[in-house]
Structure formats: structure tokens, C-alpha cells
Amino acid sequence: MPQMTVNELLLHRQIDLALELVAGRSGLENKIRTPYIQKSGLAMTGYVAYVARNRVQVFGQTEISFLVTLSEEEQERVCKKFFDQRVACCVVTRNLQLPEVFIQHAERTQTPVLRSQLPTQALIDRVTKLLETRFAKSASMHGVLLDVFGVGVLLLGESGIGKSECALDLVTRGHRLVADDSVDLVRQGPMAIYGRGPDVIKYHMEVRGLGIINIKDLFGISAIRDRKRVQLVVKLVPWEKNVDYDRIGLDDKAFTIIGVELPLIVLPVRPGRNLSTIVEVAARNQLLKLEGYHSAKEFQQHLLSTLSAEADVIVEETE
């Protein structure tokens, strides 16, 4: 199960959180187990029924301003009740000064209290981005990921079917390679899947008979990119004479990756088929679909309208 220690949050530097430790050093190994944060507004009134213990608790100017207006007895009661929940950690924004009782109960319960100079919303946005990246569901797949006309195209298929050769042809046409052979995939948000190549084989491609080539060295920086959202899956399959392949495109197929359904095209492979051109057309067609235009459905509607009009003419002539 993914998790992150409070100490890792404190020391993180890729996203500037401007954090300092105020209290609770002995709890820095506390575990954050969810990417969601919580603003502890109601908790400062003493209502702690919905305080989530595994989340980062954020205190902004509203919460701290309210707390300091309370009597010393009320501050003691509220802080004791809140910190007895044993939350993972607290983060205070805007470099706000904390009542001594707040710090005392944090030390008592070994709850780290971190402080940042950032405004509340800016801190929430950055911490959320960091945690979503850390807790994102991930998977690895055998395939090739490319950027074709701005569309992230994931090529799948059995070994030796021609994925890398198709990808190489697309690169020579000006498209960009993200990953070959192994693609690391991560889910971000409810519907987005992003892919990249493992660091050890990044920018490299295996072409049977030619060996390992470096796309960046051969074609330049414009031929590669580090990361791309997957928007279309193209599965290459051996051509079988007795299989009825889709010839109209009305039945939209889907391929599920980490719980997200992505558009799928099953592309039969046989000598004489220009796969790279077909993949380019598939990417262009996907762009049209994203804009709300579905070629096959438009054709079907036009055909039905034409047939209906001709049937009306026949009926009129027979009358």
C-alpha cells in the first residue's frame, strides 16, 4: 500500500513547499496514507468526528485566528481533543504564529507540526500535486508509446509483430518516441493515464536485424519526449483470413489500463499494409472524435437519410 512519511514531505524539494518543522520531531516517521488533505476548520470548535487520521491536516488563517479568540480553557479543550486523534501531521500556512497550547499537545502526541510561508490555497495545490504523484496507481506494459499529431498512441501486440518498426517509421515522419519495449504507466486523476520509458532504456529502440539504436542521437531532441498522456491504444494482431475485422468503425472498442477505459483499435497486420500511415490516420481520426466529430456515425446518418428519402420517393410513385 503506497505511503509517505512526514519526514519525506518535510524534505521534499522537487516541489517548493517552503516547510519548516515547528513541533513534534519524534513523529516524523508518521505515515501519510492518502493523497487527500483536510482543512481542519470544524476541529477547532471541538467537533472531531470526521477528522481523517491518515491525511495531512492544513491550518490556515481562518482556523488559527478562530483558535486564538478562544479562552485558555477552550483552547486547552479543543487542542487536546484534536491531537488525541493522532493525525499524521499538521501544516500551518502563512508563517502563522501558534498558541503555546497547540505546540504542547503536538509534542505530547508526537504529531509533527510543519509551517510554510505559502498562502493556504497555494500550499494545498502543491501538496495535493505531490501526494497524487506519490500515490498514483501504476503499471508496466510491453509496447511502444508515441506522440502522433499530439495524440498519445500506445502500440501493443505480440513480440516480433512489428511495433518498433512501425514506431521507427513514424519517427522518420516527424512524430515523437516516448518509450519502446517497456512503458511505465501511471494513473493521475480519475481518467488520465500517462506513460514514459524506464530510465535505463529511455530514448532507445530495438530493431531486429539492426540492434539497439538511440533515437535522440539519430534524430535529435525533437524526435523524443519524456512523458505523454495515452489517448489511443492500437493493438497489432496477425491477419487471419476467417476473422471478420471492423470495416465501418461504428463499434467503439475500449482497452482498460489501471481502471481507465481508453479507445482501442485492433489493427490486423499482413504484408503490403502501411501500418505507420494507418496509425497516423487513426490519430487524426481520434482528434476529430475528441472534437465531437465521428466519421463513421456521420456516414451512417447520411446513408440512412438518403435511403429514407429514396423510400419516400418510391412510395409517392407507387401511389
Side-chain angles (χ1 to χ4, degrees), residues 67-79:
L67 180 61
V68 298
T69 64
L70 301 177
S71 65
E72 290 185 2
E73 292 77 10
E74 278 296 294
Q75 287 185 23
E76 171 69 25
R77 182 186 70 83
V78 166
C79 289

Side-chain angles (χ1 to χ4, degrees), residues 113-250:
V113 176
L114 313 178
R115 183 162 53 197
S116 172
Q117 64 187 9
L118 294 173
T120 303
Q121 192 57 53
L123 180 79
I124 288 174
D125 291 343
R126 296 185 189 186
V127 172
T128 299
K129 181 179 179 181
L130 167 61
L131 295 178
E132 283 183 345
T133 300
R134 181 61 175 266
F135 286 85
K137 295 181 180 179
S138 61
S140 293
M141 297 188 70
H142 176 65
V144 183
L145 180 58
L146 299 124
D147 180 343
V148 182
F149 297 127
V151 177
V153 179
L154 179 63
L155 297 181
L156 301 178
E158 63 186 38
S159 182
I161 200 168
K163 299 184 298 295
S164 295
E165 289 78 2
C166 178
L168 182 58
D169 196 12
L170 288 166
V171 168
T172 64
R173 293 169 179 242
H175 305 294
R176 306 173 75 179
L177 175 73
V178 182
D180 178 65
D181 189 56
S182 180
V183 184
D184 291 338
L185 300 159
V186 62
R187 176 174 174 174
Q188 293 190 356
M191 296 298 293
I193 301 292
Y194 286 84
R196 62 182 305 158
D199 290 337
V200 68
I201 60 172
K202 188 177 290 187
Y203 312 141
H204 290 80
M205 179 182 288
E206 178 195 356
V207 181
R208 282 174 170 76
L210 187 59
I212 304 296
I213 59 175
N214 188 311
I215 296 298
K216 182 180 178 181
D217 291 344
L218 284 170
F219 298 98
I221 193 70
S222 63
I224 54 96
R225 65 176 302 164
D226 286 337
R227 184 171 178 265
K228 181 64 181 174
R229 179 176 178 178
V230 182
Q231 295 165 290
L232 178 65
V233 178
V234 177
K235 186 174 183 180
L236 306 183
V237 298
W239 185 288
E240 295 184 27
K241 185 176 181 180
N242 297 323
V243 175
D244 186 19
Y245 297 108
D246 190 1
R247 299 181 64 179
I248 300 177
L250 288 174

Side-chain angles (χ1 to χ4, degrees), residues 29-79:
E29 293 305 311
N30 289 358
K31 303 296 191 299
I32 302 166
R33 302 182 188 275
T34 171
Y36 307 110
I37 66 159
Q38 185 173 30
K39 280 203 76 191
S40 307
L42 279 176
M44 293 298 93
T45 68
Y47 185 74
V48 295
Y50 293 100
V51 171
R53 299 178 180 180
N54 294 327
R55 296 188 185 185
V56 175
Q57 303 289 327
V58 175
F59 292 84
Q61 192 165 22
T62 302
E63 290 79 17
I64 300 304
S65 297
F66 176 79
L67 180 61
V68 298
T69 64
L70 301 177
S71 65
E72 290 185 2
E73 292 77 10
E74 278 296 294
Q75 287 185 23
E76 171 69 25
R77 182 186 70 83
V78 166
C79 289

Side-chain angles (χ1 to χ4, degrees), residues 73-90:
E73 292 77 10
E74 278 296 294
Q75 287 185 23
E76 171 69 25
R77 182 186 70 83
V78 166
C79 289
K80 181 180 186 306
K81 200 169 184 180
F82 172 76
F83 281 102
D84 281 347
Q85 303 305 305
R86 306 282 176 167
V87 298
C89 70
C90 302

